[in-house]
Amino acid sequence: MFNLNTLLRPHILTLTPYSSARDEYTGKQGVFLDANENPFGSTLDEATLDGTVLEDNFNRYPDPHQQAIKQRLAPIKGVRPTQIFIGNGSDEPIDLLVRATCVPGQDSILIVPPTYGMYEVSAAINDVALIKVPLTPDFQLDVPAVLAAIQPRTKLLFVCSPNNPTGNLINQNDILTLLDRFPGLVVVDEAYIDFAKTQSFTALLDQYPNLVVLQTFSKAWGLAALRSGMCFASEALIQVLDKIKPPYNISGPTQQLLVQALKNVAGKDQMVAHILAQREQLIRNLLNLPLVRHVYPSDANFVLVRFDDPKAVFDYLIGQQIIVRDRHRVKLCEGCLRITVGTESENEQLLAILTAYANQVPTTV
Ligand SMILES: *Cc1c(COP(=O)(O)O)cnc(C)c1O
């Protein structure tokens, strides 16, 4: 049923990609007079770079295919290097997937709100129609409604699991049903997968040519400033993304830093363990506060918390320089603030200020 060639926009299928200088010769040694670089170096002097892990090759264009990263990442994720696309944040592959498959003004994508905002923004930027099928009140897929809402020109279906902003995993069997029944690409956004005790959908890539898995370096890996995301998919689809991306989408310093970061999986796992312990403590403490109506279970590094007067709580927190995410106007998240799990001391400050807030509001009967 799934056919990548009919799913892609016809001009993408036949597109000749830009051939970069670094594509034509991949050796490391040589006299490089092919890319109009500055042969003398850069204005970053040795003093600036002293003590950093960065190699001083800022005057050279980086590897457009990020081979060093993919070689390290593939065994960590249990995929082949050819099944990996590295993006400038996972927001880049989200946009590339929309542009590769959706004809503006004609095609559509399907999302299941409440969910991550970038799918909708990317559709809007590209003049692509959006079909919304709300999650059930327990934040799970309404599979019959999703299947009924699919149009002949619906190309992509985005499912975020663990979901942002609700924090829960989406039932795996429901995603499998959609993979079986939806003729377009099912994009499973696993930005928070490291915080969940479940297997990644990457294990199913060889079974489902219509599966795309997104992950990111911005959360568990602690590298939000690098703007780097991972996209895992069939070799054929990765080749398409490679064809339409800006040739040097991942900067040289970013590539060097990612290679270093990937040597320290244990460090990432340790941070995740700390965050999970803090999450459980934060949930326990929040539940002890009378002003907290509900704390939703979380498989992520944040919790969705319901209050009677979320706007007042939000404003009070801001006044005390505690910034959380206001989601109370989002359908199915009425009354809710999304709170990232911080350090022990940050979480304690939050709880102290929530307590102070409760003490200054006159209790209503
Ligand atoms: C944070 C987040 C991302 C990550 O985006 P980057 O562009 O990689 O920083 C992706 N998806 C979801 C659902 C997120 O919450």
Side-chain angles (χ1 to χ4, degrees), residues 88-92 94 116 119 160 162 164 189 191-192 215-219 224 227-229:
N88 188 340
S90 30
D91 292 345
E92 184 177 33
I94 290 170
Y116 186 47
Y119 320 132
C160 186
N164 178 4
D189 187 341
Y192 300 98
Q215 294 184 10
T216 180
F217 288 102
S218 300
K219 310 285 159 63
R227 305 304 307 122
S228 302

Side-chain angles (χ1 to χ4, degrees), residues 40-118:
F40 294 106
S42 72
T43 53
L44 292 167
D45 57 21
E46 274 170 39
T48 314
L49 290 170
D50 190 35
T52 79
V53 296
L54 293 172
E55 242 179 280
D56 180 7
N57 55 6
F58 294 99
N59 58 323
R60 299 297 176 187
Y61 280 101
D63 175 5
H65 306 295
Q66 308 102 26
Q67 291 302 346
I69 296 169
K70 292 177 184 175
Q71 289 301 334
R72 280 199 177 273
L73 188 57
I76 295 171
K77 297 294 176 182
V79 300
R80 295 183 291 283
T82 47
Q83 292 173 305
I84 304 174
F85 175 88
I86 305 292
N88 188 340
S90 30
D91 292 345
E92 184 177 33
I94 290 170
D95 184 66
L96 292 179
L97 288 163
V98 172
R99 283 200 280 149
T101 58
C102 296
V103 179
Q106 294 185 16
D107 293 343
S108 58
I109 70 165
L110 195 156
I111 66 167
V112 286
T115 192
Y116 186 47
M118 274 310 291

